[in-house]
């Protein structure tokens, strides 16, 4: 049996619910500690031109500046 997947509509509704209820997806961890359990943040490229890896971008924008929205 193939694995079940969430539809785009269901994913959006879940995200909307988490935002409205202010239940943050990283739980008791910070965003970096949560995401590094799923991805190699040092190998992922970032959006910014000053930082080399996603870990640095996430740290800067989610922990230091808090200027990225949680979702």
């Amino acid at each position: 049996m193939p694995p079940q997947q969430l539809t785009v509509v269901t994913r959006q509704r879940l995200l909307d619910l988490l935002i409205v209820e202010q239940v943050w997806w990283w739980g008791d961890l910070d965003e970096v500690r949560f995401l590094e359990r799923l991805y190699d943040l040092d190998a992922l490229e970032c959006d910014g031109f000053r930082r080399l890896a996603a870990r640095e971008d996430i740290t800067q924008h989610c922990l230091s500046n808090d200027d990225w929205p949680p979702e």
Side-chain angles (χ1 to χ4, degrees):
M1 185 160 76
Q4 296 179 350
Q5 296 188 2
L6 297 174
T7 66
V8 172
V9 172
T10 301
R11 287 175 193 257
Q12 187 59 54
R13 286 182 179 167
L14 285 170
L15 181 58
D16 291 344
L17 177 66
L18 292 174
I19 292 167
V20 167
E21 296 295 325
Q22 294 187 347
V23 177
W24 306 129
W25 47 266
W26 55 86
D28 290 334
L29 303 173
D30 64 41
E31 293 94 320
V32 173
R33 289 184 59 212
F34 178 86
L35 291 171
E36 72 186 359
R37 295 167 58 185
L38 303 173
Y39 306 102
D40 182 355
L41 298 180
D42 297 313
L44 291 173
E45 294 181 9
C46 66
D47 286 341
F49 61 93
R50 294 181 189 207
R51 287 171 286 286
L52 300 176
R55 175 185 305 278
E56 295 168 311
D57 250 358
I58 296 165
T59 299
Q60 181 66 38
H61 294 289
C62 294
L63 302 179
S64 298
N65 293 349
D66 193 24
D67 60 353
W68 278 356
E71 65 276 3

